Amino acid sequence: MKKVLRANLYFLIILVLEIVLPVFLGQLYYLLNITDTRVTLLLNHIILFIIPAIVYLIITKASFKKTLKLNKLRLKQIFLIIVLSFAVQPIMSFFSLIGSFFFTNEIGGFVSEISSMPYILLLGLIAVLPSISEEITIRGIVLSGYEEKNKYIATAVTGLFFGILHLDPHQFLYTTILGFIFALVVRITNSIYSSMLMHFIINGTSATLAKLSNLFMEGIETVNETKELTLKYLNLSEKLSMLYFFGALAAFFVVIVYYILRKLEKVSTEEVNNERKIIELDYGFRNTDGLIEEDRIINIPFILAIIIYIIVMFKII
C-alpha cells in the first residue's frame, strides 16, 4: 500500500473510532463505576490514540524511531521552538475569536470546569497527554506517510487533519493553523519532539490561565458564560472593531512567526541533511528505476474523512 494512502486510511480509522468508541466506552465506564473525569480522559486518549499507534507499528513493522521521528533537538532549536510557541498564540487567539462569534467554546468551558483540580493533574491532562497522544497520531504516523511529499503540501493536509481530529466547529480554524505550524516544525527539525514541546507549551498556557482564573476570580463560570454570550450577540460594528484589533495583532505576530521559522530552518538545515536524505517532489516520489510513482493525496480515505467530518459537524451545529 502506498504511503499516503496508508496514512489517510489510518487517519480515517482514528476519526471513526473517535466518533463511535466514546458511546461504548461511556457504557463500559458506567458498568465499571468509573466516574472520575480525569480517569476517563486518560483512558480515552490511551484507547483512541496510543493503542492504535502501537498496533499500526506492529502490523506494518515500521521503525518506531523513524516513523515517529524520535530525533534529538539541539539547544538552539529548543530555544527557537519555545519562542515560537508563545509567538503563535496571538494568531491562534484571533482565529479562536472568529470561531467564538458563531460557535460555543466548549473546550473553554470544559477547562474551566476541571480547573479546580490540582495544577499538576490539570497540566498533565490538558498539556502533557495531548502533546503525546495527538502528536504520535498526526505528526508521527500520519505525517510519516507524507515524507516524500513537498513539505507545504504535507503540512497543509496534516494541519487539516488536526483540525478535523478535534471534532469541534469552534476549534477547527485555529487547530488547523496550529496543525500546519506543528507539522512544519517537525519537517524542519526532523523531530517530533519539536511539535510535542510546542503543543505542551500552548496547552499548558491555557491550563495555567484557567488555574489562575479559578484561584483569583470569583464566579468564573458566570464570567465565562457571559463572555460567550457577549461574543455571539455583539452588534456588527463591535464585532468588526474586535476583529480589526486582534487581526492587526495577529498579522504582527505572523511576521514574527515567519522569521522564527526561517531561523529555525537555518539552524536545523545541517542537522536534518545529515539524518534525512530525501528529495522532495510536489506530486510523487521516485522509485529505483527513476520513474515517478503516483501517490495521490486526494484518495478514498481522504474524501470519506471529509464527508464524515461534515456530517458530524452538521449534527453538532
Side-chain angles (χ1 to χ4, degrees):
M1 185 182 293
K2 293 185 175 73
K3 290 185 176 181
V4 172
L5 176 60
R6 186 169 63 190
N8 289 355
L9 179 59
Y10 181 80
F11 175 75
L12 175 62
I13 292 171
I14 294 299
L15 181 63
V16 172
L17 289 176
E18 191 182 15
I19 295 169
V20 175
L21 268 187
V23 177
F24 299 98
L25 291 177
Q27 294 296 320
L28 178 62
Y29 298 152
Y30 175 77
L31 293 174
L32 296 176
N33 197 29
I34 300 175
T35 57
D36 192 320
T37 303
R38 297 168 294 185
V39 176
T40 58
L41 187 60
L42 174 62
L43 291 174
N44 283 346
H45 274 262
I46 292 173
I47 295 170
L48 293 173
F49 301 119
I50 304 297
I51 292 177
I54 295 173
V55 172
Y56 172 89
L57 292 170
I58 292 174
I59 292 176
T60 61
K61 299 180 180 179
S63 167
F64 189 86
K65 181 178 181 180
K66 182 180 178 182
T67 302
L68 301 184
K69 292 181 173 57
L70 301 176
N71 301 310
K72 294 180 180 179
L73 291 170
R74 294 157 59 187
L75 287 177
K76 288 183 179 179
Q77 291 173 312
I78 294 173
F79 173 76
L80 288 170
I81 289 165
I82 292 173
V83 175
L84 180 63
S85 300
F86 289 103
V88 79
Q89 292 192 49
I91 303 171
M92 178 185 72
S93 297
F94 171 65
F95 286 102
S96 177
L97 176 66
I98 294 176
S100 296
F101 288 138
F102 305 101
F103 309 110
T104 302
N105 185 358
E106 300 287 353
I107 188 64
F110 173 73
V111 174
S112 295
E113 286 178 9
I114 66 173
S115 61
S116 59
M117 70 174 62
Y119 178 65
I120 296 300
L121 285 178
L122 181 66
L123 201 63
L125 291 175
I126 300 301
V128 177
L129 188 57
S131 68
I132 295 173
S133 61
E134 293 176 6
E135 292 308 311
I136 286 174
T137 300
I138 303 295
R139 262 68 63 177
I141 292 175
V142 176
L143 186 59
S144 69
Y146 285 79
E147 61 185 358
E148 281 92 13
K149 295 293 183 182
N150 174 279
K151 68 181 178 183
Y152 295 110
I153 294 176
T155 52
V157 173
T158 53
L160 175 64
F161 284 169
F162 190 57
I164 290 174
L165 188 72
H166 286 79
L167 292 174
D168 186 324
H170 171 261
Q171 289 186 286
F172 178 76
L173 276 177
Y174 74 80
T175 53
T176 296
I177 299 297
L178 280 180
F180 171 81
I181 296 174
F182 287 168
L184 190 57
V185 296
V186 171
R187 286 294 294 262
I188 289 173
T189 63
N190 196 33
S191 173
I192 198 172
Y193 295 129
S194 57
S195 60
M196 283 183 171
L197 179 57
M198 284 193 70
H199 204 151
F200 170 78
I201 291 173
I202 292 171
N203 283 24
T205 300
S206 298
T208 301
L209 291 175
K211 188 62 178 178
L212 290 175
S213 295
N214 181 265
L215 291 174
F216 299 111
M217 293 177 63
E218 294 182 1
I220 186 65
E221 291 182 5
T222 303
V223 171
N224 280 342
E225 184 179 352
T226 303
K227 180 181 178 182
E228 194 60 38
L229 290 173
T230 302
L231 289 174
K232 295 174 72 172
Y233 292 100
L234 288 176
N235 62 47
L236 181 60
S237 62
E238 290 172 325
K239 287 183 178 181
L240 289 177
S241 296
M242 290 186 69
L243 285 176
Y244 288 149
F245 174 77
F246 286 101
L249 187 65
F252 172 76
F253 277 95
V254 164
V255 177
I256 294 177
V257 166
Y258 171 75
Y259 282 104
I260 294 173
L261 287 171
R262 284 191 61 181
K263 180 64 176 178
L264 181 62
E265 189 163 22
K266 184 177 179 180
V267 169
S268 304
T269 297
E270 182 179 349
E271 187 80 9
V272 173
N273 286 342
N274 290 337
E275 295 180 2
R276 183 182 62 189
K277 303 296 183 180
I278 294 175
I279 300 176
E280 292 184 349
L281 301 169
D282 286 341
Y283 299 105
F285 61 94
R286 296 187 181 277
N287 61 18
T288 55
D289 297 323
L291 301 175
I292 294 181
E293 287 187 11
E294 191 175 25
D295 194 2
R296 295 179 183 273
I297 292 172
I298 301 178
N299 45 41
I300 292 176
F302 180 93
I303 295 171
L304 286 176
I306 300 296
I307 292 173
I308 290 172
Y309 178 73
I310 292 173
I311 293 172
V312 171
M313 288 303 98
F314 181 77
K315 289 183 178 180
I316 290 176
I317 295 171

